[in-house]
């Protein structure tokens, strides 16, 4: 089936993601019914330094379901990638 005109830009744009050389974290809800678990590796694989973390016991809204775990995962990722801690956050 041929792509519609509106879909062609999306594919070209997503292929350009491979050119980004920074670290990328994809956080995926393991029990999400809208975006199934098996789809999680796809966005992470688009980036040369992409990394996938699955959050168990969470569906679509990870910040609602597992806020503490999400904060820890994001903090660990930022520290591992060399981000400077914000001294104003308490």
């Amino acid at each position: 089936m041929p792509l519609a005109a509106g879909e062609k830009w999306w594919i070209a744009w997503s292929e350009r993601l491979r050119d980004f050389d920074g670290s990328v974290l994809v956080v995926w809800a393991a029990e999400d019914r809208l975006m199934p678990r098996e789809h999680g590796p796809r966005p992470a694989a688009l980036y040369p330094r992409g990394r996938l973390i699955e959050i168990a016991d969470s569906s679509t809204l990870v910040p609602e379901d597992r806020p503490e775990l999400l904060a820890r995962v994001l903090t660990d990722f930022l520290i591992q990638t060399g981000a400077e801690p914000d001294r104003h956050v308490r």
Side-chain angles (χ1 to χ4, degrees):
M1 169 182 252
L3 295 173
E7 294 174 328
K8 291 179 182 177
W9 74 268
W10 178 255
I11 291 173
W13 178 82
S14 64
E15 287 298 320
R16 289 184 51 214
L17 296 175
R18 298 180 196 281
D19 296 336
F20 180 73
D21 66 350
S23 297
V24 173
L25 177 65
V26 175
V27 178
W28 207 265
E31 281 80 38
D32 193 332
R33 291 185 190 156
L34 291 173
M35 300 173 72
R37 186 178 197 173
E38 61 269 13
H39 293 184
R42 292 179 190 173
L46 287 173
Y47 299 96
R49 295 179 18 190
R51 180 174 163 204
L52 173 67
I53 296 287
E54 291 186 353
I55 303 290
D57 299 323
S58 181
S59 56
T60 304
L61 299 175
V62 175
E64 284 285 322
D65 296 337
R66 304 292 308 273
E68 296 87 6
L69 179 56
L70 178 60
R72 187 168 61 244
V73 164
L74 293 174
T75 301
D76 290 349
F77 174 75
L78 290 170
I79 290 169
Q80 291 169 5
T81 57
E84 292 292 324
D86 187 343
R87 307 217 189 281
H88 301 290
V89 176
R90 295 184 179 167

